Structure formats: C-alpha cells, structure tokens
Amino acid sequence: MPLPPDGTLLLFVNADLEPWPAGGAVYVPGGAAVEERESSPDYEVYEYDSPEELDAELRRVGALRLVPGVSLPSTPPDDGMLARHPHAETLREVWAEQTDGGGDWQLGGHAANFDDYGDPVAGSADPEASEELADPDDWVLLAQWVGFPMSILYWTIPRQDLAARRFDRVAVQMHANP
C-alpha cells in the first residue's frame, strides 16, 4: 500500500448514523506545524456516556504502528465474482475458519464482512460520478476500525488518489447493527 513515507495520516469520522457518517482523511507531512482544534461534539455515541468519554478512550490508544498481516475476502461474492470464480463462496467459508479476526485497526487489504452488508470498497463507487470514481475496481480499503459496539467503520479511497497521496476524496462508511 503506497502510504506516505513520513508524516501522519489522520482519519476522521463523525459516527452519527443519521443520515450517514461524515469523515475523511488528512495527510500531514513530517515536520509540518499543526495545532489541535477545539471540538464540541453534540451527539451521543452508542454505549458511551458522552462523546468526551469516547474521545478519551481513543486518545489512550496512542500512535498506531503497522504490523504485517493477511486479509482475505470475506464479503459474499456477487454474481460477477461467482461467474469468474465459481468456488468463491466455498473459499470464503474456508478462509473464515482460518482467520483470527485481526485487531481493531487494519490498513489496506480486504474489508471485513459485517452482517453480509456487502463490500464497502465496491460500495464507495458512485456510478453517477466521474469515470475515475464510478468503477468499483478503482477503489481500495484505506483503513477499517472495529471500535464502536456492533459496527465497523471503513475509509476507502480511489487507487489513483492513494498513489498520488491525495486524501481529499476518501469515503467513509459504517456498517452497524445497534
């Protein structure tokens, strides 16, 4: 995954489910002057007493460090996938038995399946958008976080944007079953 070699990649989300979580990503080059902005969230987060409680928990996590891992497709195959790979469903079942579920965070790879909602990466494509944003094959998983109760957050990005280190068109989705 062609992430920037230095600096910090910041992932943002307002995990309010109505109408849809808002968020994005910002790359801050190494050595850039930054300051934390004031925030006053006015929403309630499921199973947290306040947004401040969630914020405090996230700050305790600290900086994340990458470790190599394997991610395998786990979302149900669509008709096109089954036409190309007739044994895709059987492989998905076998792979599900081989994985340990990973950690709370994942960068790149295949998006984790959540209640068979479908692949959030392919779901990021917008058929009515420009050609570069319309094809599901042009999108990749930037990150996912299994941090809210009964949900997963996904950050997806067009391949060409990731290669160019352009993070202004990152899409955020949440699959939840609260």
Side-chain angles (χ1 to χ4, degrees):
M1 187 169 188
L3 291 172
D6 68 346
T8 303
L9 183 61
L10 303 171
L11 301 172
F12 295 92
V13 67
N14 176 346
D16 191 356
L17 292 175
E18 300 296 331
W20 195 252
V26 174
Y27 166 60
V28 180
V34 296
E35 65 181 61
E36 187 171 348
R37 71 178 183 167
E38 189 71 28
S39 138
S40 54
D42 61 353
Y43 58 91
E44 291 185 29
V45 181
Y46 185 72
E47 289 196 10
Y48 290 92
D49 290 332
S50 69
E52 291 79 17
E53 181 185 340
L54 171 60
D55 184 65
E57 182 177 320
L58 291 173
R59 289 176 187 275
R60 283 191 295 275
V61 170
L64 301 175
R65 300 289 179 236
L66 296 178
V67 295
V70 175
S71 74
L72 301 168
S74 62
T75 55
D78 60 19
D79 291 340
M81 176 62 73
L82 287 172
R84 291 188 309 273
H85 304 284
H87 302 291
E89 185 60 40
T90 302
L91 287 172
R92 182 174 86 106
E93 291 170 11
V94 170
W95 291 335
E97 296 172 7
Q98 306 304 314
T99 61
D100 64 1
D104 291 344
W105 284 95
Q106 175 182 316
L107 296 179
H110 295 279
N113 184 29
F114 185 85
D115 285 350
D116 287 342
Y117 281 147
D119 184 1
V121 177
S124 297
D126 181 357
E128 297 184 19
S130 64
E131 185 176 324
E132 63 187 1
L133 299 177
D135 185 351
D137 290 334
D138 288 341
W139 287 80
V140 296
L141 179 69
L142 178 61
Q144 74 179 19
W145 178 49
V146 183
F148 286 137
M150 298 185 294
S151 65
I152 302 179
L153 284 160
Y154 305 94
W155 289 262
T156 59
I157 186 170
R159 290 178 192 279
Q160 67 272 19
D161 287 4
L162 181 58
R165 297 188 182 126
R166 177 182 170 183
F167 296 96
D168 60 314
R169 296 192 296 191
V170 166
V172 178
Q173 296 179 54
M174 175 189 275
H175 289 181
N177 189 6

